[in-house]
């Protein structure tokens, strides 16, 4: 099926989508790796700081993406798809956006309740929190729980995208840059 030019995401939406996807895959990989590094080693501190810095960078891009999404509607749903698929995609996308907002928020707030504070690529950010193990545990638990749900949603999302790519039904190309 050939997709009409109008039935695409804007160039900005496409660039932001793939930039966020790249950052999120890196963040999940580093996040899962770093928590297994032995405590009180320089490597652990280095990876934690990298994760927090990339996480804050991702938060900025995510806010841009959400702002863009509120200003510009996505292309209309394809009529060629069964209704259950469009409904499933809408629910999946809404939950992905929720995770995209909650992940950096819980990570940042949780990290603010320790004595180190948060650095952004070496630059110490204002430390408004205090040493509070109970609050840190709460936000850390939420961060880990949401990470699990997020990974599940991403796997579903990628499987659906690859299915559409295989079917060549035009859905995948909506989120790809048009050749000029
Ligand atoms: C890894 C992190 C990813 C996240 C958080 C993510 C998130 C999202 C979100 C929220 C949307 C809805 C856009 C909107 O309507 O505003 C979307 C659309 C889309 N994504 Fe992803 N995505 C990710 C990775 C991928 C990957 C790896 C692929 C391809 C293999 C992909 C393919 C697509 C496609 C084709 C659409 C458009 C679907 C449609 O037109 O209904 N995404 N993505
Ligand atoms: C989209 C953004 C983010 C994603 C996808 C992400 C993902 C993850 C993942 C998958 C883990 C491993 C969880 C586990 O142990 O099972 C993790 C852990 C962690 N993340 Fe993030 N993260 C993000 C943003 C942030 C930010 C902005 C910060 C802090 C500024 C942060 C701080 C931490 C910390 C301290 C841990 C270690 C476990 C904990 O104490 O919660 N993360 N993250």
């Amino acid at each position: 099926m050939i997709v009409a030019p109008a039935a695409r995401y804007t160039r900005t939406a496409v660039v932001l989508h793939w930039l966020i996807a790249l950052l999120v895959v890196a963040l999940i990989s580093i996040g899962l790796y770093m928590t297994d590094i032995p405590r009180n080693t320089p490597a652990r501190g280095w990876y934690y700081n990298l994760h927090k810095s990339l996480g804050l960078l991702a938060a900025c891009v995510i806010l841009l993406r959400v702002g863009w999404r509120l200003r510009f509607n996505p292309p209309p749903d394809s009529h060629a798809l069964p209704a259950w698929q469009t409904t499933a995609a809408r629910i999946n996308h809404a939950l992905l956006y929720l995770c995209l907002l909650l992940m950096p928020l819980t990570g940042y707030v949780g990290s603010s309740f320790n004595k180190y504070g948060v650095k952004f690529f070496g630059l110490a950010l204002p430390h408004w929190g205090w040493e509070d193990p109970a609050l840190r545990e709460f936000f850390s638990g939420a961060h880990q729980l949401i990470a699990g749900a997020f990974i599940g949603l991403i796997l579903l999302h990628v499987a659906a995208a690859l299915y559409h790519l295989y079917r060549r039904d035009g859905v995948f190309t909506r989120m790809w840059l048009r050749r000029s």
Side-chain angles (χ1 to χ4, degrees):
M1 195 190 98
I2 295 164
V3 190
R8 284 171 170 274
Y9 285 86
T10 62
R11 187 183 287 264
T12 310
V14 173
V15 170
L16 291 175
H17 171 270
W18 290 106
L19 187 58
I20 290 170
L22 207 71
L23 284 166
V24 164
V25 170
L27 278 160
I28 291 175
S29 312
I30 298 170
L32 295 176
Y33 173 73
M34 71 187 191
T35 40
D36 284 338
I37 301 176
R39 283 174 190 277
N40 300 318
T41 56
R44 188 172 166 105
W46 192 85
Y47 276 103
Y48 266 65
N49 278 327
L50 176 67
H51 180 84
K52 291 177 190 178
S53 302
L54 279 181
L56 290 175
L57 183 68
C60 298
V61 187
I62 289 163
L63 287 179
L64 267 178
R65 173 75 183 104
V66 171
W68 191 264
R69 178 65 161 81
L70 293 174
R71 204 159 135 58
F72 297 97
N73 286 330
D77 295 330
S78 165
H79 295 301
L81 296 179
W84 73 266
Q85 279 187 22
T86 26
T87 309
R90 276 189 192 177
I91 296 172
N92 179 269
H93 294 168
L95 293 174
L96 282 173
Y97 274 122
L98 191 65
C99 292
L100 283 171
L101 291 171
L102 289 180
M103 284 306 292
L105 189 70
T106 49
Y108 173 66
V109 176
S111 298
S112 298
F113 291 115
N114 69 20
K115 57 177 184 264
Y116 309 113
V118 181
K119 287 196 195 112
F120 183 65
F121 295 108
L123 178 80
L125 298 180
H127 190 198
W128 52 268
W130 57 94
E131 173 77 17
D132 192 324
L135 276 176
R136 192 175 58 236
E137 278 308 304
F138 173 79
F139 285 102
S140 169
H143 194 65
Q144 291 177 25
L145 198 77
I146 300 165
F150 197 24
I151 293 170
L153 288 165
I154 291 172
L155 289 177
L156 259 176
H157 180 69
V158 173
L162 294 179
Y163 165 78
H164 289 299
L165 185 66
Y166 168 74
R167 297 244 342 218
R168 292 171 182 267
D169 55 12
V171 172
F172 187 88
T173 39
R174 284 153 60 97
M175 197 45 105
W176 203 248
L177 292 175
R178 194 181 331 160
R179 262 172 282 166
S180 51

